[in-house]
Every structure is written in structure tokens, then in C-alpha cells.
Amino acid sequence: MILYRPVSTKELELIKKSNYRSFPPRLPEQPIFYPVLNEQYATEIASGWNVKYNDDHKGYVTKFEVDDSYCGQFEVHQVGGAHHKELWVPAEKLKEFNEHIVGEIQIISEFSE
């Protein structure tokens, strides 16, 4: 399954430290890791929310692949329009989720003010 994740500069630095192989653990107040199912939605978040609310006013879109059979255990949630779909991964499963990433996490877009 091809997934996308809008990230901040801080999160991107942690991804780089993993050699583009994993996403960092969630913070205690973040019980869900939610990659999105399409580039359009990820771009909306990175170019709007991340640019507006992050300290450095930058946002990035990452693209990555996860084993299809593994992803089947997680619920897809539509949280707005037809293209606003997210895969909801409980934070405690993120380490296992990272182990099912195929290849590297790619940076496909960058946005700034």
C-alpha cells in the first residue's frame, strides 16, 4: 500500500536519522499515527497546516510503501471530503508498522511561507 505523511521539519530530521526507514514514536498526547491515502490530502496538510503552525513555517510530504497484508488490520477513516482518508495506526503499533515499510521513506514535496 502506498501511503503519504505530511511532516514538519522536526519530524523529518528524525526520519533522516533513521536513514529514511521509520517514523519517530508518537508523543504521549498523540495516540494515533495517521498516514494518509493520497498525495492530494497530504499536500493540503503540509502546505496549509504545517506551514502555518510549525515554528519554521515549513511542511513536507513523504511517500512510502507498507506491506499490503499488514496494513489490512488498520481502519481507514474518512475525515472530511472524499479524498480525506487516513489509516489509523495505534501509537503502540508504530514500531511494528515501521518494520513493514518497504524501502525508504521519500520526500516528494516541500512547502514554506
Side-chain angles (χ1 to χ4, degrees):
M1 173 180 267
I2 301 296
L3 296 168
Y4 302 85
R5 172 95 177 138
V7 298
S8 66
T9 302
K10 289 178 184 178
E11 188 172 0
L12 183 59
E13 289 302 317
L14 295 171
I15 293 167
K16 286 179 183 178
K17 285 182 180 180
S18 77
N19 292 317
Y20 299 93
R21 297 284 183 188
S22 65
F23 291 94
R26 306 300 287 157
L27 299 173
E29 66 272 13
Q30 299 171 320
I32 304 288
F33 174 73
Y34 50 94
V36 302
L37 275 60
N38 63 76
E39 185 177 348
Q40 179 184 358
Y41 182 28
T43 297
E44 289 175 11
I45 297 168
S47 65
W49 177 268
N50 288 3
V51 168
K52 186 175 181 179
Y53 294 106
N54 288 318
D55 293 340
D56 65 355
H57 302 287
K58 291 184 178 181
Y60 306 86
V61 174
T62 63
K63 178 181 178 181
F64 59 101
E65 183 177 356
V66 178
D67 177 52
D68 287 342
S69 60
Y70 178 77
C71 284
Q73 68 183 295
F74 302 111
E75 294 179 28
V76 172
H77 290 260
Q78 185 170 334
V79 296
H83 68 282
H84 293 141
K85 293 182 180 173
E86 304 171 346
L87 191 69
W88 284 18
V89 179
E92 63 270 11
K93 291 248 182 188
L94 182 54
K95 183 178 179 189
E96 180 181 278
F97 180 89
N98 282 330
E99 293 170 0
H100 289 85
I101 292 176
V102 178
E104 294 183 351
I105 299 166
Q106 303 167 24
I107 304 161
I108 59 170
S109 300
E110 178 180 338
F111 302 93
S112 61
E113 264 189 336

